[in-house]
Amino acid sequence: MISIDAMGGDIGPTVTVAGVAQVLGRGADSTHFLLHGDKAALTEMLDRFPRLCDRVEIRPSDSVVAMDAKPAHAMRRGRGSSMWNAIACVQSGEAAAAVSAGNTGALMAISRLILRMVGALDRPALVANWPTLKGATSVLDVGANVVCDAERLVEFAIMGAAYHRAVHDLPRPRVGLLNIGTEHDKGHEEVKDADRILRAASFAFDYLGFVEGDDIAKGSADVIVTDGFTGNVALKTAEGLARFFRAELRATFTDSLNGKLGALLARRSLRAMAARLDPGSINGSPFLGLNGVVVKSHGGADANGFANAVRLAADLGRRDFAPTLARELERLAPARSAAASL
Amino acid sequence: MISIDAMGGDIGPTVTVAGVAQVLGRGADSTHFLLHGDKAALTEMLDRFPRLCDRVEIRPSDSVVAMDAKPAHAMRRGRGSSMWNAIACVQSGEAAAAVSAGNTGALMAISRLILRMVGALDRPALVANWPTLKGATSVLDVGANVVCDAERLVEFAIMGAAYHRAVHDLPRPRVGLLNIGTEHDKGHEEVKDADRILRAASFAFDYLGFVEGDDIAKGSADVIVTDGFTGNVALKTAEGLARFFRAELRATFTDSLNGKLGALLARRSLRAMAARLDPGSINGSPFLGLNGVVVKSHGGADANGFANAVRLAADLGRRDFAPTLARELERLAPARSAAASL
């Protein structure tokens, strides 16, 4: 069972219900869904997708967390909202995972409040699924943890590896630590200390050492670890550059008759490229470190993109991801003392 | 007079002398050059460009700073090298600027030693000239200053604005401070404090407040300020992504006969796009904050790219950039106290 905040996102039910319909449309999947939100709006949307009826249950909720609500306000006033109820169903065990395209800060605050963090973790880490020359790299944290000490970075490595293993079926992901050079003396104290801890202990992944910004798109590592400030800037810089390239490409193929004819001839190849680079195809960022699975969809995602976030949540839910993560994190304490004794 | 470390870079004189020849080839320019390096190698290269003879003087030097030399080693042993001598000519006033494609760390260390920093500055800032939808944005620091407090960030704003004004003839550049959101409460203490100082005082630029990673490629600001860790990661992430896009584009236009025909038809437009996106066209990063102009060329730049770095150095040299920068930096102290009294 997957719990959906059907009101979240820039658009709401039109996208979320159509996204769920896409996931079920694939057939073999036997997942059931709880749709939290405004009863009338959801009933109307479900009427458009009659075959959803026996797999989807509407759970009416009174309110919606606004896209611009402050996290503290959402925590105080969010009870009974579609977002709150979606997460509460994970806490009660009724659902294996929750998905929301709503306000990121509010979703994180409410998730922490209801589900609590694993062990001594402070805040969830946000993962980006980054398309690369070799497939996809999991990059974290991309914005939740602005200031990170060495242990925080090591926790990201453990959680990122567990996540990548679960999603990509890769037994020992290769993990890199983002820095401004690959020599041992590069970077600030936090990355140097994290490097020492990661080298000293044995985790369920292969630690590659330092990697640099250009290693992300190269696919040099399966998991790349950084603080939430750097990760957020890198991710948004890349998103901006991707838009820049699309604009350049559009200009190139509309600036002359030959350009237009060329684009017409190559249209199948160009469409295939556009599909490979479609941000919706990698939509869905899990909040790592919670006692339960919560996946954030981009607020502006279309039905296609929302469906991908839902598939990711279903996948993580099936794999019993949250308890696995808790077990992996128990390896940090011995690693820390091994590094300290060096 | 421009002073050239003719031995620096992955290739050396073949590129540096050909680059200088390109600059002089444009005609109207009356710049003269000092070429520092191995006399035999430079004489041989100059024989290929006979028209350079009356504009170029060879200054023989005994040694070359290795591309992988440690900065500390280069400072102790670099005296008499082509890099050292190129910078010494700026210190003596013989040259208005120096250019090197050599080892970045060594170039920075030797530049600091010989030219000294302006005022109380600690290390130079490295600027990237970032192509955007609207032209070019100056992004700093991109790697020299790993840890930056609020005052360091404000210094970057002052220096970046002075640089952008000199290079782009823009009287009041718009300066943004890179963060993970645009609200006042976003980010770590250093960016929040820098934001307060920048708001409290009046500088010779327009302060826009916080900008995010995707604002870089948008061209939302003329100058974007960040610490050297984040800036370096953002720059290298973008470089990696640019290579990724080029690979995708190549694959798209070679994967089918129609794709190839399309590329053939659109070849003029594609070539124009490649020229717009050519990293060489933006080659040349000045070290800001020195008592003198030193421009770093990319080690792997070709003659075209090196020529662009030389033009940038000549431009900054002509504009009396270093003294202007020193004057601008004097505005920091009143700004700091204005912010403290708020």
Side-chain angles (χ1 to χ4, degrees), chain A residues 262-277:
Chain A
L264 195 65
L265 263 173
R267 66 188 178 282
R268 286 170 69 107
S269 309
L270 281 168
R271 253 186 236 139
M273 180 172 86
R276 278 198 304 275
L277 301 180

Side-chain angles (χ1 to χ4, degrees), chain A residues 212 236 248 255 269 276, chain B residues 212 236 248 255 269 276:
Chain A
E212 299 186 65
K236 286 186 186 150
E248 281 289 333
D255 73 347
S269 309
R276 278 198 304 275
Chain B
E212 299 185 66
K236 286 186 185 153
E248 282 286 335
D255 72 345
S269 309
R276 278 198 304 276

Side-chain angles (χ1 to χ4, degrees), chain A residues 150-202:
Chain A
E151 290 191 13
R152 209 74 253 270
L153 294 171
V154 177
E155 285 164 2
F156 293 165
I158 297 171
M159 296 196 293
Y163 168 70
H164 199 88
R165 189 183 305 118
V167 174
H168 297 282
D169 265 328
L170 196 68
R172 285 189 73 82
R174 295 160 308 137
V175 177
L177 187 56
L178 196 58
N179 198 351
I180 64 169
T182 53
E183 302 88 353
H184 282 279
D185 58 347
K186 291 275 174 163
H188 45 60
E189 290 313 309
E190 291 79 4
V191 288
K192 285 192 255 185
D193 288 346
D195 179 62
R196 272 191 287 274
I197 300 176
L198 286 164
R199 284 183 191 285
S202 79

Side-chain angles (χ1 to χ4, degrees), chain B:
Chain B
M1 183 80 84
I2 306 296
S3 184
I4 307 277
D5 168 12
M7 308 306 282
D10 299 339
I11 300 158
T14 326
V15 158
T16 56
V17 178
V20 168
Q22 271 202 29
V23 175
L24 290 179
R26 291 269 172 104
D29 199 306
S30 65
T31 317
H32 282 65
F33 293 91
L34 300 173
L35 297 184
H36 299 270
D38 180 72
K39 191 173 179 184
L42 293 179
T43 309
E44 193 198 321
M45 271 305 293
L46 277 182
D47 285 346
R48 298 195 212 165
F49 300 99
R51 63 194 164 71
L52 294 190
C53 292
D54 56 338
R55 303 281 287 283
V56 164
E57 184 185 327
I58 294 176
R59 290 283 172 92
S61 54
D62 305 333
S63 61
V64 174
V65 173
M67 288 304 275
D68 58 354
K70 289 271 166 202
H73 183 267
M75 279 168 74
R76 279 196 312 274
R77 305 293 191 88
R79 194 176 295 267
S81 65
S82 57
M83 184 187 279
W84 187 288
N85 292 351
I87 295 165
C89 287
V90 175
Q91 200 274 327
S92 70
E94 191 175 8
V99 183
S100 175
N103 179 330
T104 308
L107 183 64
M108 184 165 292
I110 292 176
S111 300
R112 281 169 77 195
L113 185 69
I114 298 181
L115 296 174
R116 305 273 161 195
M117 300 300 301
V118 167
L121 291 183
D122 175 37
R123 301 164 63 79
L126 266 173
V127 188
N129 303 298
W130 199 300
T132 72
L133 285 169
K134 295 181 187 163
T137 292
S138 305
V139 180
L140 76 166
D141 177 30
V142 292
N145 301 269
V146 170
V147 178
C148 296
D149 61 13
E151 289 190 13
R152 208 73 255 267
L153 294 171
V154 177
E155 285 165 3
F156 294 164
I158 297 171
M159 297 197 291
Y163 168 71
H164 198 88
R165 188 183 306 115
V167 174
H168 298 282
D169 266 328
L170 197 69
R172 285 188 74 82
R174 295 160 308 138
V175 177
L177 187 55
L178 195 58
N179 198 351
I180 63 168
T182 53
E183 302 87 353
H184 282 279
D185 58 347
K186 290 277 174 165
H188 45 59
E189 290 312 310
E190 291 79 3
V191 289
K192 286 190 253 184
D193 287 347
D195 179 64
R196 271 191 289 271
I197 299 176
L198 286 163
R199 284 183 189 284
S202 78
F203 293 104
F205 53 82
D206 290 326
Y207 176 59
L208 302 177
F210 293 138
V211 296
E212 299 185 66
D214 54 339
D215 285 307
I216 306 178
K218 265 187 215 165
S220 312
D222 301 309
V223 178
I224 291 185
V225 167
T226 189
D227 64 90
F229 191 89
T230 310
N232 182 278
V233 166
L235 181 66
K236 286 186 185 153
T237 299
E239 287 171 354
L241 192 60
R243 274 196 290 274
F244 173 77
F245 276 109
R246 281 196 293 272
E248 282 286 335
L249 208 55
R250 208 174 302 119
T252 297
F253 286 109
T254 50
D255 72 345
S256 68
L257 186 61
N258 275 344
K260 285 178 195 162
L261 285 172
L264 194 68
L265 264 173
R267 65 189 178 281
R268 287 170 69 105
S269 309
L270 281 168
R271 255 186 234 137
M273 179 173 85
R276 278 198 304 276
L277 300 180
D278 174 21
S281 71
I282 53 157
N283 184 42
S285 290
F287 288 166
L288 297 185
L290 294 163
N291 290 304
V293 175
V294 177
V295 171
K296 166 80 175 83
S297 162
H298 198 285
D302 60 8
N304 217 344
F306 194 77
N308 281 314
V310 172
R311 283 188 199 102
L312 177 62
D315 207 25
L316 291 173
R318 257 194 306 274
R319 284 162 190 273
D320 230 16
F321 177 66
T324 311
L325 195 74
R327 275 197 307 279
E328 296 280 330
L329 282 167
E330 285 167 12
R331 300 198 193 201
L332 175 56
R336 199 192 302 134
S337 36
S341 70
L342 283 185

